[in-house]
Amino acid sequence: MISGFGYSQSGETAYLKEPRSLDVVFSPGIFIQKEIFTEANILLGTVYNNQSGYIPMVGATGFRVGIETNLKSNENFIIAPKLGYEISVTYFSIRLSALNYFQNKQSEFRLLPEAGISIGGLINLTYGYGIGFGQTIHGISNHRLSLSFNLNKRLWNAVIKGLDPD
């Protein structure tokens, strides 16, 4: 079992006082990177709902595994498996991903840092810049603007309904 770290302080929810098991979050998205791409990811980590204190912390953090594609056919089809880590809490979102684009017989590896705004980790709008290594696939820009959604019942309740996620 994977558990989160917590500490005790007056006014905190019981959620942060006890270790938490692994949360699974489905994270689809759409982004512009010279053309429109879609993505599907699974985030394995922790969903937070600490509404008390000076700075409320609501959102999700964890490791991501996923795939992105431009959904085109023939020689224009691009697909990229990826691994990364995300912190999307309260009003900000940051990610770091490693991905490999494939188009026909071409392949390009990139590191992709992203940063942006978030609505409680549920909705994220980020800008990223892909740092390429090796061969370049010309149909893909290094710049990207991404809109993604972290879909999880506990996260939804924490952000939309303001409920304790338990």
Side-chain angles (χ1 to χ4, degrees), residues 115-131:
I117 58 174
S118 180
I119 298 174
L122 191 65
I123 302 171
N124 304 302
L125 180 64
T126 60
Y127 166 79
Y129 184 82
I131 303 164

Side-chain angles (χ1 to χ4, degrees), residues 59-133:
T61 64
F63 291 95
R64 291 166 44 108
V65 61
I67 193 160
E68 54 189 54
T69 181
N70 62 354
L71 298 175
K72 293 195 173 182
S73 60
N74 302 328
E75 68 277 352
N76 297 319
F77 178 71
I78 299 171
I79 191 164
K82 63 183 177 177
L83 296 171
Y85 192 82
E86 175 176 337
I87 300 170
S88 292
V89 292
T90 312
Y91 302 115
F92 75 92
S93 177
I94 57 175
R95 293 186 196 123
L96 178 62
S97 301
L99 51 136
N100 202 80
Y101 290 98
F102 294 98
Q103 182 180 29
N104 299 322
K105 296 181 182 191
Q106 294 180 309
S107 173
E108 180 184 358
F109 178 78
R110 288 187 183 184
L111 287 179
L112 177 67
E114 295 178 85
I117 58 174
S118 180
I119 298 174
L122 191 65
I123 302 171
N124 304 302
L125 180 64
T126 60
Y127 166 79
Y129 184 82
I131 303 164
F133 297 92

